[in-house]
């Protein structure tokens, strides 16, 4: 681990305490590509598998927020369909947006995590207990992270993170687990 973050808990320790999990959208919940239709409309692909992971987090009582620098009606629709606690779009200062939500919920930074993949996410990753990023992120972001996914963004990366968090939550029991 980077000496700058030596006081940060391990990813497992952090995941056990998560009550608020934030996600960037492009490059984590999607593959980061922008698809343009004939009429200039922008399209994005979301994974149902990732969506189910987010629902599992929320069903366990973890608040899920999305903070993205872009604005899109597609993202708004997907967030609404999933029941995302809060969506912040067109955000240039993600740390401030995250901190405002965190404070409104009365949470400590040790109860917070974020999954981001590029420079606008870096200040948030430096602050939260569970700092998650992707293998394609800039090197300083990977050094700030205490968890890096192995599944492709937009195709299981978020689900992998959700499953990791839940596996480390005390008292979590998968509702579909055979007994």
């Amino acid at each position: 681990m980077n000496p700058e973050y030596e006081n940060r808990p391990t990813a497992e320790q952090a995941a056990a305490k998560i009550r608020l999990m934030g996600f960037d959208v492009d490059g984590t919940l999607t593959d980061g590509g922008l698809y343009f239709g004939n009429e200039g409309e922008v399209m994005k692909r979301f994974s149902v598998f990732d969506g189910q992971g987010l629902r599992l987090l929320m069903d366990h009582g973890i608040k899920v927020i999305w903070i993205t620098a872009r604005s899109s009606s597609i993202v708004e629709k997907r967030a609404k369909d999933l029941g995302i606690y809060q969506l912040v779009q067109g955000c240039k200062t993600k740390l401030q947006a995250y901190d405002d939500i965190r404070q409104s919920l009365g949470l400590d930074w040790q109860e917070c995590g974020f999954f981001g993949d590029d420079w606008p996410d870096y200040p948030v990753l430096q602050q939260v207990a569970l700092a998650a990023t992707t293998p394609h992120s800039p090197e300083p972001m990977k050094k700030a992270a205490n968890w890096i996914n192995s599944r492709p963004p937009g195709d299981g990366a978020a689900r992998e993170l959700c499953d990791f968090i839940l596996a480390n939550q005390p008292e979590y029991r998968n509702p579909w687990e055979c007994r």
Side-chain angles (χ1 to χ4, degrees):
M1 178 175 276
N2 186 328
E4 184 179 354
Y5 303 103
E6 66 186 22
N7 292 327
R8 176 177 277 165
T10 66
E12 292 82 359
Q13 292 167 333
K17 296 181 179 180
I18 293 298
R19 297 290 163 256
L20 176 64
M21 190 63 208
F23 292 81
D24 174 39
V25 174
D26 296 318
T28 59
L29 296 169
T30 75
D31 63 9
L34 296 176
Y35 303 90
F36 292 92
N38 289 335
E39 305 300 317
E41 69 276 19
V42 177
M43 297 170 278
K44 297 175 190 252
R45 178 189 173 278
F46 291 92
S47 165
V48 173
F49 192 59
D50 287 342
Q52 179 62 38
L54 296 171
R55 287 288 334 147
L56 290 169
L57 282 184
M58 293 182 286
D59 289 348
H60 187 62
I62 296 171
K63 300 273 192 235
V64 174
I65 60 173
W66 291 0
I67 304 175
T68 178
R70 298 183 55 84
S71 293
S72 165
S73 59
I74 296 165
V75 171
E76 185 175 344
K77 178 171 181 6
R78 183 65 175 147
K80 184 177 180 183
D81 288 349
L82 289 172
I84 298 304
Y85 178 73
Q86 192 162 346
L87 168 64
V88 181
Q89 295 198 84
C91 185
K92 302 302 180 209
T93 55
K94 292 184 180 186
L95 180 58
Q96 184 63 56
Y98 194 111
D99 194 33
D100 289 346
I101 296 166
R102 177 192 69 81
Q103 287 184 45
S104 74
L105 293 169
L107 296 174
D108 183 75
W109 282 111
Q110 293 302 310
E111 300 170 291
C112 298
F114 193 75
F115 188 22
D117 72 319
D118 211 346
W119 290 113
D121 309 314
Y122 186 62
V124 184
L125 293 181
Q126 291 179 297
Q127 189 65 48
V128 296
L130 180 58
T133 196
T134 65
H136 70 266
S137 296
E139 200 59 38
M141 291 188 62
K142 290 190 277 190
K143 288 179 181 174
N146 55 3
W147 189 87
I148 298 175
N149 70 291
S150 62
R151 300 225 6 133
D155 193 20
R159 176 58 180 270
E160 180 184 14
L161 176 56
C162 293
D163 288 347
F164 174 79
I165 293 168
L166 291 170
N168 286 283
Q169 289 274 304
E171 310 289 323
Y172 177 71
R173 185 168 189 97
N174 184 331
W176 295 284
E177 183 179 277
C178 294
R179 298 175 206 253

